[in-house]
Amino acid sequence: MLVAGNWKMFKGPEEARAFCRGLRDLALPGDVDVVVCPPYVSLGQAVQVLAGTEIGVFAQNCHWAVDGAFTGEVSASMLLELGVYGTIVGHSERRQLFGDTDETVARRAAAALAAGLHVIACVGETEAVLRRQLSVLDHDDNLVVAYEPVWAIGTGKTATPELAQEAHEVVKSVLDVPVLYGGSVKPGNARELLAQAAVDGALVGGASLELEAFEAICQAGSLS
Ligand code: PEP
């Protein structure tokens, strides 16, 4: 069971440090892998504060080149140097607002995995889109897919546990990797979503910004 908090463009270094100190001091369940995904500028603080704990620090994106003339991008080797453990790729906000395509997502995922990072690759609706987005990804022991119906991200609307289960079965039939559900996961709905057999964890946006809510979601993943 994996619960990952995607902070998006929230929490600069100061706030990240305070949040991670709070997280570090919680008694999180031992059977849930917990990950935070701060913005680039806060990764260093998160890595420092969480060093020596089981809590992983992931970036929110990663470029495929090692280095080069790619203004605004960050490479896998730079993230590794910082002590970052993995990265999200292909979040729907990257696809919708910043021009990421199936091809660039595949390149980002492949480069990150090859460099030794763990990867959460995001895919979304509909079944045809899901299959197309998955078709460019290859199985890897360090790859996890996050199924995030676009209508459920940041909207307060959540897929029913049955719908999530069905979509996750589709994902797993194409690519046999752990699948996280993402889309308005909150303390109040986490337990029934995470109880589905094909739901291997959650990618949490808004509710991961608040320590108490994020802790409650991590607890809901325990024994699921
Ligand atoms: C996300 O950012 O991946 C996400 C699922 O956001 P939220 O939980 O806010 O819907």
Side-chain angles (χ1 to χ4, degrees):
M1 182 64 56
L2 168 64
V3 175
N6 173 19
W7 294 0
K8 311 193 184 197
M9 201 172 73
F10 293 98
K11 298 194 192 296
E14 284 293 315
E15 235 186 296
R17 186 169 57 223
F19 184 96
C20 290
R21 281 187 176 149
L23 193 61
R24 183 186 63 188
D25 295 341
L26 293 174
L28 293 169
D31 58 344
V32 177
D33 293 322
V34 177
V35 158
V36 291
C37 313
Y40 284 136
V41 293
S42 303
L43 285 170
Q45 292 286 354
V47 166
Q48 266 180 25
V49 175
L50 297 174
T53 74
E54 294 291 308
I55 303 166
V57 178
F58 277 43
Q60 298 173 14
N61 196 16
C62 172
H63 196 263
W64 53 84
V66 174
D67 49 26
F70 301 109
T71 303
E73 295 283 337
V74 171
S75 70
S77 56
M78 292 170 181
L79 294 173
L80 284 163
E81 187 181 332
L82 203 57
V84 169
Y85 192 72
T87 185
I88 297 173
V89 298
H91 191 279
S92 65
E93 285 152 16
R94 300 295 323 167
R95 294 178 190 261
Q96 282 171 5
L97 305 174
F98 301 103
D100 244 333
T101 63
D102 293 345
E103 194 214 332
T104 60
V105 172
R107 293 180 78 180
R108 292 180 196 282
L113 289 165
L117 287 172
H118 288 244
V119 168
I120 298 173
C122 302
V123 297
E125 301 269 75
T126 55
E127 185 171 334
V129 171
L130 262 187
R131 287 184 184 276
R132 194 199 73 219
Q133 291 176 341
L134 289 166
S135 69
V136 297
L137 299 170
D138 293 320
H139 178 275
D140 190 290
D141 286 346
N142 290 339
L143 177 67
V144 169
V145 163
Y147 162 68
E148 302 203 300
V150 281
W151 49 264
I153 297 177
T155 59
K157 295 182 193 150
T158 318
T160 60
E162 296 72 27
L163 204 149
Q165 170 71 17
E166 260 173 53
H168 284 218
E169 281 171 2
V170 171
V171 173
K172 284 171 182 284
S173 72
V174 181
L175 197 60
D176 186 19
V177 295
V179 184
L180 312 182
Y181 170 77
S184 298
V185 176
K186 307 270 182 258
N189 61 22
R191 191 170 294 279
E192 55 175 357
L193 284 162
L194 294 172
Q196 299 300 308
V199 176
D200 303 307
L203 181 56
V204 187
S208 74
L209 296 171
E210 213 244 303
L211 199 54
E212 217 174 293
F214 189 55
E215 181 192 12
I217 295 169
C218 294
Q219 296 292 354
S222 183
L223 304 178
S224 291

